[in-house]
Amino acid sequence: MSRRLVKMMNTLTRLRRASCEPGQILLLLPRCIQHSGCEQRIANDIQECRRCGRCKVKDLLEMSERYGTRCAVATGGHLALELARDEGVRTVVAIACAKELQEGMKGIFPKPSVGIINLWPNGPCVDTDVELDRVEAAIERLIKE
Ligand code: SF4
């Protein structure tokens, strides 16, 4: 059910032709995408990432810099909502599990958002992954439309 809802919300965002300046897009990462052996405190400040490449935080951070979007790590649903509700944020591209996305996207509605369900090569909540091309396509669509 969660997956279907995320898909529906994504379609809705597309139909609404949501668009904005890159700096008004928030790219939101889940804490579990950080490598479990990494001790950098990226939840406080994503710039703490040393870009070693052991996890996708490096790629996502570089992607956000390339497009000029905001980028942050959410340690939980509550913080994610707080970050997404910031006045300067017009749209959100969020990476998380289907359940978190469903709650978050509903929580910030009517603010447009795109949810990208993460991958679990090691099971839930640890060393999760994401398809970078899907994240990039979502950002490009929001900037272009
Ligand atoms: S890419 Fe960044 S967050 Fe990931 S393991 Fe390396 S320093 Fe840590």
Side-chain angles (χ1 to χ4, degrees), residues 13 18-20 25 91 93 114 138-145:
T13 297
S19 67
C20 61
I25 298 173
T91 58
V93 176
V114 179
I139 292 173
E140 282 188 351
R141 209 175 298 120
L142 287 171
I143 294 172
K144 271 188 200 154
E145 280 183 6

Side-chain angles (χ1 to χ4, degrees), residues 78-142:
H78 185 71
L79 181 63
L81 283 178
E82 232 170 76
L83 292 167
R85 282 180 180 144
D86 183 291
E87 260 182 35
V89 173
R90 295 273 305 275
T91 58
V92 179
V93 176
I95 303 162
C97 65
K99 186 173 166 288
E100 292 276 340
L101 285 176
Q102 175 188 322
E103 282 164 20
M105 292 171 89
K106 273 199 305 193
I108 62 165
F109 191 83
K111 193 174 274 194
S113 59
V114 179
I116 298 171
I117 298 170
N118 60 8
L119 307 170
W120 296 357
N122 304 291
C125 307
V126 62
D127 293 334
T128 59
D129 200 0
V130 70
E131 289 165 308
L132 293 172
D133 53 344
R134 291 190 60 207
V135 181
E136 189 156 19
I139 292 173
E140 282 188 351
R141 209 175 298 120
L142 287 171

Side-chain angles (χ1 to χ4, degrees), residues 30-126:
R31 180 67 181 272
C32 58
I33 206 163
Q34 180 180 20
H35 191 278
S36 52
C38 175
E39 293 185 352
Q40 295 307 112
R41 301 175 67 132
I42 62 163
N44 292 345
D45 178 3
I46 196 157
Q47 295 297 339
E48 290 285 315
C49 169
R50 293 170 65 186
R51 307 180 190 219
C52 72
R54 273 188 300 169
C55 73
K56 293 271 171 73
V57 174
K58 169 189 183 284
D59 308 83
L60 293 162
L61 185 52
E62 287 176 355
M63 190 185 295
S64 79
E65 288 172 352
R66 202 160 61 243
Y67 286 96
T69 73
R70 302 173 184 218
C71 187
V73 177
T75 46
H78 185 71
L79 181 63
L81 283 178
E82 232 170 76
L83 292 167
R85 282 180 180 144
D86 183 291
E87 260 182 35
V89 173
R90 295 273 305 275
T91 58
V92 179
V93 176
I95 303 162
C97 65
K99 186 173 166 288
E100 292 276 340
L101 285 176
Q102 175 188 322
E103 282 164 20
M105 292 171 89
K106 273 199 305 193
I108 62 165
F109 191 83
K111 193 174 274 194
S113 59
V114 179
I116 298 171
I117 298 170
N118 60 8
L119 307 170
W120 296 357
N122 304 291
C125 307
V126 62

